[in-house]
Amino acid sequence: MADLPLPPGSTLGILGGGQLGRMLSQAASRLGFNVVILDPEENSPAGRVSQGQVIAAYDDPTALQVLGRVAQAVTFEFENVPAASVQTLVESGAEVAPGARALAVAQDRVDEKTFLNSVGATTVDFAAVDSVDDLVAGLERLGVPALLKTRREGYDGKGQVWVRAVSEAADAWNAIDGKPAVLEAKAAFTRELSVIAARGRDGQVAVYPLGENIHEGGVLRTTLAPAKVDRKTDARAREIAAAILNGLDYVGVLGVELFDLGKGVLLVNEIAPRVHNTGHWTQDGCVCDQFEQHIRAVAGWPLGPTEPHARVEMTNLLGDEVDQWTALAAEPDARLHLYGKAEARPGRKMAHVNRVSKL
């Protein structure tokens, strides 16, 4: 295993070559690290800004062994990395962070909610669903409407369907292709908040200010940060983040999506064991953004400051909205972050813009 903290000049491996991997690689390069990407897509966005890329499937044993040998530490940009891949990397001598337990918890929505409640990070009431009969029973217990989600995978509104009557159970089950699922009670929240937090290898925890999120069609459109919250809400969010990080013995940055019920009452919607879309505002609102923070934690460095120096409105650019780059680049208070993706498909995240103002 590598000696920590890793000195500049060390090599970091990243599983995933998309925009999060790209921004992680850019942050690592600024700190003096070499970066190697593993991604099946040739000429990936992250690969183009890194020292090299291994072009292979995420479960390719030879590719993983190569990455584990050249990289002193390995991390990932998405949570659906096969657990066996992490084990292969560990066996090849690489430090992998976040660890296997965080991955396992985040990959299964029932396990995730069970864990969250066990550490005092309360969620909506829920029921595991493995059949239409389970779904009917869950609807009768939780009430309608309720949200049916596949237990594994699914993102940006995919793999889920609202069930508004018990009579819709069969259709809803077919809509998710009869996959193992979780049924979630509807939460009477006023808005969605998120908190980005990090934990170092020494157990140090650093928490960024809350962001307020606005979604359209199940996809994040805008994050406003720091969010306007009272002290009780802020303190509760920090308490939740620390409980999750410590409960998982976590290393790296974690995103926590929250339902704000008012008066300091927060429910956890879900967690993401990685840098997170709702933390992009930190790139232009904080001295140490979420990407540098993650690299610091993985490499065993001290965590950076999380205090904001500006207010930021982060907006995702989807599909051909990226064609507005000339107009956005002309805005004096806008910082444009382009992902280098070749094809602007409808709904695909192509870039984001941070509009900065004074606190």
Side-chain angles (χ1 to χ4, degrees):
M1 305 297 279
D3 292 328
L4 297 170
L6 296 179
S10 301
T11 297
L12 301 180
I14 300 176
L15 297 176
Q19 68 264 23
L20 298 180
R22 181 184 178 97
M23 289 182 278
L24 282 170
S25 181
Q26 290 169 324
S29 296
R30 194 176 63 77
L31 296 180
F33 293 108
N34 301 310
V35 177
V36 176
I37 303 295
L38 192 157
D39 191 283
E41 178 188 334
E42 188 174 354
N43 200 33
S44 70
R48 293 201 301 276
V49 300
S50 302
Q51 183 187 37
Q53 178 180 337
V54 179
I55 302 169
Y58 297 120
D59 58 356
D60 184 306
T62 301
L64 290 165
Q65 288 167 9
V66 168
L67 186 66
R69 285 198 298 267
V70 301
Q72 286 74 62
V74 178
T75 189
F76 41 85
E77 69 153 7
F78 67 111
E79 56 267 46
N80 291 319
V81 176
S85 297
V86 173
Q87 186 60 34
T88 299
L89 286 165
V90 170
E91 290 172 355
S92 66
E95 292 276 355
V96 182
R101 185 171 181 227
L103 265 182
V105 166
Q107 286 177 352
D108 186 296
R109 289 188 170 91
V110 172
D111 291 346
E112 178 184 65
K113 284 181 165 50
T114 301
F115 162 77
L116 289 169
N117 284 285
S118 75
V119 297
T122 312
T123 69
V124 296
D125 199 1
F126 66 97
V129 175
D130 293 303
S131 66
V132 174
D133 288 344
D134 287 345
L135 178 53
V136 170
L139 291 168
E140 290 175 345
R141 182 170 71 83
L142 301 179
V144 291
L147 186 58
L148 182 67
K149 297 180 179 179
T150 54
R151 283 182 67 151
R152 303 179 72 85
E153 300 181 336
Y155 62 94
D156 288 347
K158 298 177 177 65
Q160 63 184 51
V161 60
W162 280 99
V163 190
R164 305 189 184 281
V166 175
S167 60
E168 296 178 1
D171 287 342
W173 183 242
N174 291 332
I176 63 165
D177 297 324
K179 294 179 179 178
V182 61
L183 185 69
E184 300 177 358
K186 183 177 174 60
F189 62 96
T190 58
R191 57 179 175 169
E192 184 189 285
L193 300 171
S194 59
V195 60
I196 304 298
R199 185 174 182 271
R201 292 189 181 272
D202 61 356
Q204 178 189 0
V205 171
V207 184
Y208 289 94
L210 286 159
E212 180 176 348
N213 305 316
I214 300 166
H215 289 79
E216 292 178 9
V219 180
L220 179 70
R221 171 56 76 177
T222 301
T223 295
L224 306 171
K228 295 179 180 179
V229 297
D230 57 36
R231 290 184 180 180
K232 187 175 181 181
T233 301
D234 181 72
R236 177 58 181 149
R238 291 173 180 274
E239 180 181 55
I240 287 170
I244 296 169
L245 290 167
N246 290 325
L248 291 171
D249 194 21
Y250 195 89
V251 173
V253 163
L254 175 86
V256 185
E257 296 179 4
L258 301 161
F259 293 139
D260 181 9
L261 276 62
K263 299 182 179 179
V265 179
L266 298 172
L267 298 178
V268 180
N269 178 26
E270 61 184 29
I271 62 174
R274 53 172 171 80
V275 289
H276 197 253
N277 197 170
T278 63
H280 290 352
W281 72 271
T282 61
Q283 290 174 299
D284 300 297
C286 300
V287 171
C288 179
D289 66 37
Q290 66 165 344
F291 299 99
E292 178 180 331
Q293 193 78 284
H294 188 76
I295 297 300
R296 282 172 172 253
V298 171
W301 286 27
L303 298 184
T306 56
E307 295 79 14
H309 58 69
R311 189 172 301 283
V312 179
E313 178 181 303
M314 188 286 302
T315 302
N316 279 323
L317 301 181
L318 308 177
D320 61 8
E321 291 173 352
V322 73
D323 295 339
Q324 303 167 21
W325 62 268
T326 47
L328 293 167
E331 291 185 28
D333 296 320
R335 290 288 305 278
L336 185 59
H337 298 263
L338 296 157
Y339 302 155
K341 294 180 179 179
E343 185 182 359
R345 296 192 298 269
R348 190 184 195 194
K349 293 175 183 174
M350 299 298 296
H352 67 270
V353 59
N354 284 334
R355 292 183 171 88
V356 181
S357 59
K358 293 182 180 179
L359 282 172

